[in-house]
Amino acid sequence: GENVEQHPSTLSVQEGDSAVIKCTYSDSASNYFPWYKQELGKRPQLIIDIRSNVGEKKDQRIAVTLNKTAKHFSLHITETQPEDSAVYFCAAGLLNTGNQFYFGTGTSLTVIP
Amino acid sequence: GAVVSQHPSWVICKSGTSVKIECRSLDFQATTMFWYRQFPKQSLMLMATSNEGSKATYEQGVEKDKFLINHASLTLSTLTVTSAHPEDSSFYICSARDGTGGTYEQYFGPGTRLTVT
């Protein structure tokens, strides 16, 4: 089955700096890579996703890059704000088969004001 | 839109009893729902995929006889933890996929905290 690794497990940045979270996956068939943000005590919420036919996607301060050859993808948050503090999960999925998502181990991001 | 609810939000039960957790999609039809288990400060571990009108698909290592899943309608999936033991104590969270919108996003429920004494 799919195995997703995520680094770092914790990340602290100063407000205004950038944050980068990296993930690798094992199943080359995976073709969908969502990122979820989970604030304390709340449910995970999708913040951005990318499909395997795209190398990069950006949405305001958030961007995701995908390297299919190396089987890794990254989340980039620029101009971080205190409200960005949360746990971020990457996931890898195989669409149109079972559509299951396999999640990484999570990154606890703290943005220091 | 795309709201998923879970009930109960928390439950305490005695060892050996069974507990049922409900997952509902409130404003969309979910042909597929997923059940996850989340340990404190850890990731979401996929337990099983619940398909409306058919048997659930369990991930490797998940006991299907212990974690019974029923997806009887397009808006409801249930997870029953049978003969619960303390090691089953965990946070169980479901998600649902709205297959009609052309997206692949999974919408998560708020989770259920199960404590087995």
Side-chain angles (χ1 to χ4, degrees):
Chain A
E2 176 65 278
N3 181 44
V4 180
E5 295 189 355
Q6 184 172 347
H7 300 279
S9 57
T10 59
L11 179 61
S12 291
V13 299
Q14 290 291 138
E15 182 178 358
D17 288 349
S18 295
V20 180
I21 303 171
K22 299 182 178 181
C23 290
T24 60
Y25 60 100
S26 61
D27 189 349
S28 57
S30 291
N31 56 12
Y32 178 68
F33 306 92
W35 286 87
Y36 280 80
K37 175 183 180 181
Q38 187 176 27
E39 296 178 65
L40 189 63
K42 297 189 177 181
R43 69 191 77 191
Q45 301 267 14
L46 178 72
I47 56 171
I48 196 168
D49 57 8
I50 191 169
R51 298 190 66 175
S52 59
N53 58 350
V54 176
E56 183 173 358
K57 184 177 179 181
K58 189 174 182 179
D59 182 4
Q60 298 183 340
R61 297 187 296 108
I62 296 173
V64 58
T65 59
L66 171 65
N67 183 326
K68 284 192 301 181
T69 304
K71 289 188 285 187
H72 67 68
F73 55 113
S74 301
L75 177 72
H76 304 252
I77 305 174
T78 59
E79 300 172 26
T80 54
Q81 301 167 2
E83 51 265 38
D84 294 329
S85 297
V87 178
Y88 291 81
F89 293 100
C90 63
L94 183 59
L95 300 180
N96 300 322
T97 302
N99 294 301
Q100 289 91 349
F101 293 173
Y102 296 93
F103 283 83
T105 47
T107 296
S108 178
L109 172 65
T110 301
V111 179
I112 304 166
Chain B
V3 178
V4 176
S5 70
Q6 267 183 255
H7 178 79
S9 56
W10 61 270
V11 58
I12 302 173
C13 71
K14 292 187 176 181
S15 187
T17 61
S18 296
V19 174
K20 180 184 285 188
I21 302 170
E22 294 185 348
C23 178
R24 292 181 185 273
S25 56
L26 298 185
D27 51 2
F28 65 99
Q29 293 184 329
T31 54
T32 307
M33 290 183 172
F34 304 89
W35 286 96
Y36 296 86
R37 188 170 175 175
Q38 187 174 32
F39 293 99
K41 297 185 179 181
Q42 292 191 28
S43 187
L44 297 149
M45 185 192 78
L46 179 65
M47 298 174 65
T49 302
S50 170
N51 297 295
E52 187 267 337
S54 64
K55 290 183 178 180
T57 305
Y58 290 82
E59 294 297 308
Q60 192 173 9
V62 178
E63 299 176 59
K64 60 180 67 177
D65 293 332
K66 180 166 189 62
F67 299 99
L68 300 179
I69 292 172
N70 183 274
H71 194 156
S73 78
L74 286 171
T75 59
L76 173 64
S77 176
T78 60
L79 168 69
T80 301
V81 183
T82 63
S83 186
H85 291 284
E87 56 265 31
D88 299 323
S89 298
S90 189
F91 191 67
Y92 293 88
I93 190 167
C94 70
S95 71
R97 177 175 169 253
D98 180 0
T100 62
T103 70
Y104 299 98
E105 180 176 355
Q106 288 184 22
Y107 300 95
F108 282 85
T112 297
R113 172 76 57 193
L114 170 63
T115 301
V116 184
T117 60

